[in-house]
Amino acid sequence: MSKTNETKEQTVEENAVVEEQLNEQEEKVDSEAVEAIPELTVEEQHQAEITALEQKLDEAESRFLRLRADYDNLKRRSQTERVAQEKYRSQNLLTDLLPVLDNFERALQVEATTEDAESMKKGIDMVYRSLIEATTKEGLEPVASEGEAFDPNIHHAVMQEQDDSKEQGIVLQELQKGYKLKDRVLRPAMVKVNE
């Protein structure tokens, strides 16, 4: 056996002996406290015992109430976490799908010059619409941008431009769509803002 293990075992044994001695001293002090004053009548001794027991009961009740409060807090916190987890369960998947939505939108902006290209574009549009419908059911919604007041919580300003016909701080152009999942921003919209 190594020296470390022997030392640990000795420490554990010493701690057990010290704890046992402390317990004996406490018991001795409790019994001495009740019997310490020989002038006390039997009734006074009983009253002293009752007072000591009431103190122990108060301490136990206090400990119980603290434990109960801790338990209630833990229960409430875990329920809140469960609700949030259920509410945002699809967040990772939807975040991964955002570039796919961007690519579909880019593909739909290309002009079709031939009949084959036009039919391909219609097919892409159908797939895009079904994907948008599925993500909307999960709570994904685009962030409103163009013409809206700039909000740093949902917009990411990458450019500024001067346009006297519009108010200061208005979004002039959306460069990349932003999305929210219920009330949480997944990706802020990249925008050009009026100075």
Side-chain angles (χ1 to χ4, degrees):
M1 192 185 303
S2 69
K3 288 185 180 183
T4 308
N5 288 339
E6 287 177 11
T7 306
K8 285 181 183 177
E9 284 182 12
Q10 286 176 346
T11 305
V12 169
E13 289 174 9
E14 288 172 1
N15 287 342
V17 169
V18 168
E19 190 174 313
E20 193 174 307
Q21 289 173 349
L22 285 174
N23 287 339
E24 288 174 5
Q25 286 176 353
E26 284 178 3
E27 289 174 5
K28 203 177 207 182
V29 167
D30 285 346
S31 63
E32 286 175 0
V34 173
E35 299 171 0
I37 307 171
E39 304 96 46
L40 292 180
T41 64
V42 174
E43 188 175 309
E44 290 172 335
Q45 287 179 355
H46 288 307
Q47 189 61 39
E49 283 181 30
I50 290 171
T51 305
L53 290 173
E54 284 175 347
Q55 281 181 332
K56 285 184 181 180
L57 179 63
D58 287 344
E59 290 172 9
E61 283 179 348
S62 175
R63 224 175 312 125
F64 170 75
L65 291 174
R66 282 194 303 273
L67 286 172
R68 180 62 189 239
D70 287 345
Y71 174 74
D72 289 344
N73 289 338
L74 177 66
K75 189 174 165 184
R76 193 176 315 115
R77 195 175 326 116
S78 66
Q79 185 175 0
T80 304
E81 288 172 1
R82 262 195 319 267
V83 167
Q85 187 177 19
E86 177 62 28
K87 187 176 183 181
Y88 301 111
R89 69 182 168 11
S90 58
Q91 180 175 345
N92 291 336
L93 174 64
L94 291 174
T95 302
D96 291 342
L97 285 176
L98 294 182
V100 175
L101 292 173
D102 293 339
N103 289 334
F104 270 114
E105 289 169 2
R106 284 188 206 103
L108 291 171
Q109 289 175 354
V110 174
E111 287 193 35
T113 54
T114 65
E115 203 172 291
D116 287 343
E118 186 62 39
S119 64
M120 172 132 358
K121 189 174 179 179
K122 284 182 184 177
I124 290 172
D125 186 48
M126 287 176 16
V127 173
Y128 173 71
R129 287 179 192 275
S130 63
L131 184 59
I132 288 292
E133 187 178 313
T135 56
T136 302
K137 283 181 185 175
E138 287 297 316
L140 185 73
E141 55 188 58
V143 171
S145 294
E146 267 186 56
E148 299 288 323
F150 176 75
D151 181 356
N153 297 316
I154 58 173
H155 298 128
H156 176 67
V158 291
M159 295 174 69
Q160 286 188 333
E161 191 174 281
Q162 184 68 38
D163 186 352
D164 295 331
S165 65
K166 296 190 179 175
E167 292 181 34
Q168 181 181 359
I170 296 294
V171 174
L172 298 175
Q173 182 182 1
E174 180 180 66
L175 304 172
Q176 182 184 42
K177 255 188 184 176
Y179 291 95
K180 292 192 312 186
L181 173 61
K182 298 181 170 92
D183 57 350
R184 187 179 284 180
V185 176
L186 291 184
R187 180 177 77 186
M190 262 194 257
V191 295
K192 183 193 302 184
V193 182
N194 193 22
E195 292 180 339

